[in-house]
C-alpha cells in the first residue's frame, strides 16, 4: 500500500492524547505518516453539569466530526463509550481496536472496597449507569456528580471531596495509573457501559481509501462484542440520560450478552436485567443479538426511549 500522510483529530485530554498517539504509532508501524490535531470539545468545556443535562455523548465528538467533514483531519480516535449509537450521515466507524479492560474501577484513598464504606459515604460519578448500579449495591450511599478528565477527577478525590470514586479501569491502565485502582468490580456486580474500554476510529463514509487500511488494524472479536452491546443501547434509545449497561463475554464462538436498565426517574427502583447468547460470526449477527436482548429488557419492564 502507498504510504499515506494522515491527520488524527483528537480531544486534548491526557487520555485522549494517549489513545491518539497509540493509533499514530500503529500507523507509523505500517509505514504511514500521522500527525495529531488536538481539539477541545463542548463536552470538555462544560464541567458543572452532567452530560445527560447538556446534550449527551455527542458533545465529545461533534468538533472532531467537523474536522473530518472539512478535511482538516482524516480520522478521529474515540473512546467508543463516548460515541453516540447512531453516527451522523456521512460518517462511518472504520475499525474497533483490541479492547482494554472493560470493567469499572474503585478508587479511594481510605477504603479498599465499596463494602468498606461507612453508611452515607460520598461517592463520585456522573454516570447514570454507575449511579443506579451503586444504589443497587449500597442504597445508603450519597452519590455526587463528578466531571472532568481523569486527572481532574483524581484531584477532587485527593482534595477530600469524595470518599471514593468510580472510573473506567481502561483509562487508568492506559495512563499507567494502575496503583490508583483499589478494586476492579466484577462485571456481574457493576455491568459496564456499552463499548467501555474499546477504541473506535471514525472516518468520513466516502473515504474508501482508508477502509482497507483500518480493516487491517481492527480486532474482529472486540468489534463484534461492542456491536452487540451498542445494539442494545441503540434499540433502547440509550444515551447519557438513560441508566443502561450492556456487556458481552465470549465462550468459544458463542457471545453471552447481559444488559441492565434503570429508571432515571426512580433511581432507587429495582434494576431490570436481561441476557441472551448466540453464535456470532459477523457484525450483523452481533447486532441481531443486541436487538434480542433489548427486546427482552422491554418485555421485562424496561422503557424504550
Amino acid at each position: 500500500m502507498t504510504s499515506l500522510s494522515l491527520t488524527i483529530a483528537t480531544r486534548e485530554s491526557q487520555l485522549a492524547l494517549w489513545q491518539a498517539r497509540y493509533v499514530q504509532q500503529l500507523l507509523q508501524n505500517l509505514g504511514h505518516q500521522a500527525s495529531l490535531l488536538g481539539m477541545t470539545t463542548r463536552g470538555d468545556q462544560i464541567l458543572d453539569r452532567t452530560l445527560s443535562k447538556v446534550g449527551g455523548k455527542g458533545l465529545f465528538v461533534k468538533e472532531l466530526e467537523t474536522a473530518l467533514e472539512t478535511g482538516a483531519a482524516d480520522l478521529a480516535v474515540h473512546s467508543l463509550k463516548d460515541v453516540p449509537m447512531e453516527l451522523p450521515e456521512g460518517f462511518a466507524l472504520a475499525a474497533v481496536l483490541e479492547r482494554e479492560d472493560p470493567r469499572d474501577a474503585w478508587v479511594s484513598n481510605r477504603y479498599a472496597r465499596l463494602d468498606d464504606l461507612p453508611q452515607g459515604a460520598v461517592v463520585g460519578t456522573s454516570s447514570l449507569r454507575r449511579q443506579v448500579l451503586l444504589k443497587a449495591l449500597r442504597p445508603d450511599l450519597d452519590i455526587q456528580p463528578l466531571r472532568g478528565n481523569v486527572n481532574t477527577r483524581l484531584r477532587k478525590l485527593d482534595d477530600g471531596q469524595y470518599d471514593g470514586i468510580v472510573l473506567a479501569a481502561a483509562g487508568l491502565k492506559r495512563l499507567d495509573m494502575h496503583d490508583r485502582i483499589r478494586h476492579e468490580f466484577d462485571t456481574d456486580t457493576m455491568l459496564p457501559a456499552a463499548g467501555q474500554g474499546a477504541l473506535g476510529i471514525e472516518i468520513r463514509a466516502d473515504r474508501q481509501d482508508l477502509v482497507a487500511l483500518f480493516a487491517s488494524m481492527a480486532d474482529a472479536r472486540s468489534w463484534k462484542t461492542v456491536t452487540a452491546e451498542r445494539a442494545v443501547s441503540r434499540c433502547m434509545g440509550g444515551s447519557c440520560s438513560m441508566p443502561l449497561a450492556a456487556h458481552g463475554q465470549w465462550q468459544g464462538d458463542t457471545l453471552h450478552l447481559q444488559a441492565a436498565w434503570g429508571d432515571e426517574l426512580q433511581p432507587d427502583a429495582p434494576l431490570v436485567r436481561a441476557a441472551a447468547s448466540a453464535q456470532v460470526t459477523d457484525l450483523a449477527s452481533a447486532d441481531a443479538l443486541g436487538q434480542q436482548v433489548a427486546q427482552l429488557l422491554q418485555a421485562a419492564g424496561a422503557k424504550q426511549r
Side-chain angles (χ1 to χ4, degrees):
M1 179 180 286
T2 303
S3 177
L4 300 175
S5 181
L6 302 171
T7 300
I8 302 171
T10 175
R11 294 164 58 199
E12 293 183 302
S13 72
Q14 184 182 7
L15 179 57
L17 288 169
W18 184 98
Q19 294 169 172
R21 288 173 182 140
Y22 175 73
V23 174
Q24 180 184 39
Q25 187 61 55
L26 292 177
L27 288 167
Q28 290 173 346
N29 291 346
L30 293 173
H32 304 290
Q33 299 298 314
S35 59
L36 303 187
L37 174 64
M39 308 183 73
T40 300
T41 69
R42 287 199 66 216
D44 297 307
Q45 295 170 334
I46 304 173
L47 298 178
D48 59 344
R49 285 163 286 168
T50 61
L51 287 178
S52 61
K53 295 179 180 177
V54 295
K57 300 180 181 224
L59 291 178
F60 287 120
V61 301
K62 180 59 181 172
E63 285 83 357
L64 277 61
E65 288 174 341
T66 299
L68 297 180
E69 194 168 32
T70 62
D74 301 284
L75 63 139
V77 179
H78 303 299
S79 292
L80 202 56
K81 72 181 181 64
D82 292 333
V83 178
M85 301 306 151
E86 296 278 9
L87 293 179
E89 185 176 354
F91 296 93
L93 194 62
V96 172
L97 306 185
E98 185 176 2
R99 194 177 201 174
E100 238 296 1
D101 190 338
R103 293 175 295 177
D104 285 317
W106 171 248
V107 182
S108 174
N109 295 324
R110 297 177 60 196
Y111 303 101
R113 290 174 177 261
L114 190 74
D115 292 343
D116 298 333
L117 289 172
Q119 189 161 346
V122 178
V123 175
T125 177
S126 289
S127 160
L128 291 178
R129 172 190 63 86
R130 289 176 180 146
Q131 288 177 28
V132 298
L133 291 171
L134 287 167
K135 280 292 188 181
L137 295 169
R138 289 284 305 269
D140 63 289
L141 294 178
D142 180 9
I143 311 294
Q144 291 294 324
L146 176 65
R147 288 287 316 281
N149 61 39
V150 172
N151 286 326
T152 298
R153 297 183 192 202
L154 291 172
R155 184 172 63 251
K156 290 178 179 180
L157 170 69
D158 294 341
D159 287 344
Q161 297 181 39
Y162 307 92
D163 294 300
I165 63 177
V166 181
L167 299 173
L172 292 168
K173 291 182 176 183
R174 285 173 174 144
L175 293 175
D176 199 23
M177 295 181 178
H178 303 72
D179 59 325
R180 296 305 301 256
I181 299 174
R182 298 295 298 273
H183 173 67
E184 289 163 334
F185 289 100
D186 185 276
T187 56
D188 290 332
T189 302
M190 287 281 288
L191 201 63
Q196 185 161 307
L199 297 184
I201 296 175
E202 185 179 12
I203 61 173
R204 285 205 325 262
D206 62 0
R207 290 295 303 269
Q208 290 302 307
D209 58 320
L210 299 181
V211 172
L213 168 62
F214 292 117
S216 69
M217 295 167 55
D219 183 79
R221 183 160 280 205
S222 296
W223 200 342
K224 286 181 280 194
T225 308
V226 300
T227 295
E229 295 168 359
R230 286 168 59 82
V232 177
S233 190
R234 187 188 72 246
C235 293
M236 293 299 299
S239 67
C240 286
S241 60
M242 177 185 286
L244 182 66
H247 180 61
Q249 291 179 294
W250 290 91
Q251 296 174 332
D253 292 330
T254 298
L255 182 62
H256 180 64
L257 182 64
Q258 300 180 73
W261 175 91
D263 190 339
E264 68 272 20
L265 301 178
Q266 295 180 286
D268 295 326
L271 293 170
V272 177
R273 294 182 180 269
S277 301
Q279 279 204 321
V280 169
T281 57
D282 53 22
L283 297 182
S285 55
D287 192 272
L289 176 60
Q291 293 182 52
Q292 179 188 356
V293 170
Q295 291 167 359
L296 291 171
L297 277 176
Q298 292 171 44
K303 300 186 179 97
Q304 183 185 32
R305 277 284 170 87

